[in-house]
Amino acid sequence: MRVAVTGGLGRIGRAVVAELAAHGQETVQVDVAPMRAQPPGYRRADLRELWQAVDALDGVDAVVHLAATGVPDSHTLHPELAEGATFTANTTSTYNVFQAAAVHGIRRVVWASSETVLGPPFRVAGPAHLPLDEDHPVRPETSYALSKATGEELARHFAHRCGMTLVALRFSVVMDGTDYAALPGYWAEPERGRWNLWSYVDLADVAVGCRLALAAERPGATAVTLAAPDTLSDRPTAELLGTYYKEVRVTGPLGTFESLQSSARAGELLGWRPAKSWRGGGG
């Protein structure tokens, strides 16, 4: 396949491009960043403009859509405006990518959703049950999370209307080797990790997840969680639950450091098994 990777110059995009190339896939990197020395296959596009998305996806067989605006700038004088800009940019670019794929007859799109669609940082309400899984209600609490939840609804629309296969990967916080060095400071303040249940996913596993999702035979719109098998905490999971979430229903037994976000569905539907853990190996 020839695969367009939007956000292809970003950290996750570069890892996905390398993973696909290692498995014989040709890639087209789509990004808004100007470059003096452009890599082979690079296409500059602002995906908030539909015509630019249509041009960027011309001649490709599948899409990995990673381009997005992240957390609003906390230093802005008007944070509510920054939140609106985040929602608008993400929903518009996601719609445009899906629509451009439909224009070109591209039937397979893998795209980055987020763990936050299920409620993190839980300022309004705690989890309905733990571990978080795909049966948990979608209830976004931020403009970013709302943009991703809206993207999942858009995916259902395009799957229904155009017969497309769209796989939403709900990434946990994406980390790699350089990030793990800071964990001792994180352990001293366990409250810092409460917002997303001390969860994470390794960058290499994210790249593998994108590759597997491209190959999966999953007609329609599907959403799965990608999280490491363990937490980032040095405290046992039972201790974290007893301290912070003792009133939340736990749906099954948990291992000593087992993650409070379940990726079992990704294993069942995509064949994805996380191979990386900060503890070494697969956790």
Side-chain angles (χ1 to χ4, degrees):
M1 287 192 297
R2 192 178 195 213
V3 182
V5 180
T6 75
L9 300 184
R11 182 175 66 134
I12 299 175
R14 294 194 303 272
V16 170
V17 167
E19 174 70 18
L20 294 177
H23 288 80
Q25 307 284 9
E26 180 185 356
T27 59
V28 172
Q29 295 166 263
V30 179
D31 209 293
V32 74
M35 295 191 68
R36 293 178 180 174
Q38 297 181 359
Y42 176 67
R43 297 179 181 177
R44 185 181 180 188
D46 184 340
L47 298 174
R48 293 171 297 182
E49 297 288 344
L50 178 57
W51 69 268
Q52 294 193 43
V54 171
D55 283 353
L57 300 190
D58 187 28
V60 306
D61 304 303
V63 182
V64 177
H65 175 44
L66 303 172
T69 297
V71 178
D73 184 359
S74 61
H75 300 292
T76 181
L77 293 176
H78 300 285
E80 68 281 1
L81 299 182
E83 288 196 0
T86 295
F87 176 81
T88 301
N90 287 347
T91 53
T92 300
S93 60
T94 297
Y95 172 85
N96 287 346
V97 167
F98 293 172
Q99 178 66 16
V103 166
H104 289 300
I106 299 166
R107 290 290 178 259
R108 186 172 295 270
V109 179
V110 174
W111 66 285
S113 185
S114 169
E115 64 186 353
T116 59
V117 301
L118 300 183
F122 303 118
R123 294 193 183 102
V124 177
H129 64 257
L130 291 172
L132 289 184
D133 58 18
E134 290 77 9
D135 294 328
H136 191 280
V138 171
R139 51 188 194 194
E141 293 191 356
T142 65
S143 63
Y144 174 79
L146 182 60
S147 74
K148 294 300 185 178
T150 303
E152 293 189 9
E153 188 60 40
L154 289 172
R156 286 187 284 271
H157 166 77
F158 278 92
H160 172 71
R161 194 186 85 188
C162 304
M164 294 166 63
T165 293
L166 302 103
V167 182
L169 302 178
R170 293 172 176 171
F171 300 152
S172 187
V173 172
V174 180
M175 302 184 71
D176 61 19
T178 57
D179 299 313
Y180 301 137
L183 282 179
Y186 176 90
W187 296 335
E189 302 176 78
E191 182 71 26
R192 287 172 57 190
R194 180 181 182 178
W195 77 272
N196 81 329
L197 307 171
W198 305 272
S199 296
Y200 73 106
V201 63
D202 192 88
L203 178 61
D205 285 328
V206 166
V208 171
C210 290
R211 174 175 60 82
L212 292 175
L214 283 171
E217 295 300 326
R218 296 298 309 171
T222 304
V224 297
T225 296
L226 296 191
D230 58 340
T231 69
L232 286 171
S233 181
D234 62 337
R235 303 187 182 197
T237 299
E239 180 180 333
L240 295 173
L241 284 171
T243 302
Y244 298 101
Y245 290 110
K246 59 184 176 182
E247 303 300 326
V248 177
R249 176 172 62 92
V250 178
T251 57
L254 294 167
T256 304
F257 296 106
E258 187 170 339
S259 176
L260 289 170
Q261 293 199 40
S262 172
S263 298
R265 190 76 55 87
E268 295 167 6
L269 301 184
L270 308 181
W272 183 78
R273 300 287 187 277
K276 300 287 186 178
S277 165
W278 68 268
R279 292 181 169 86

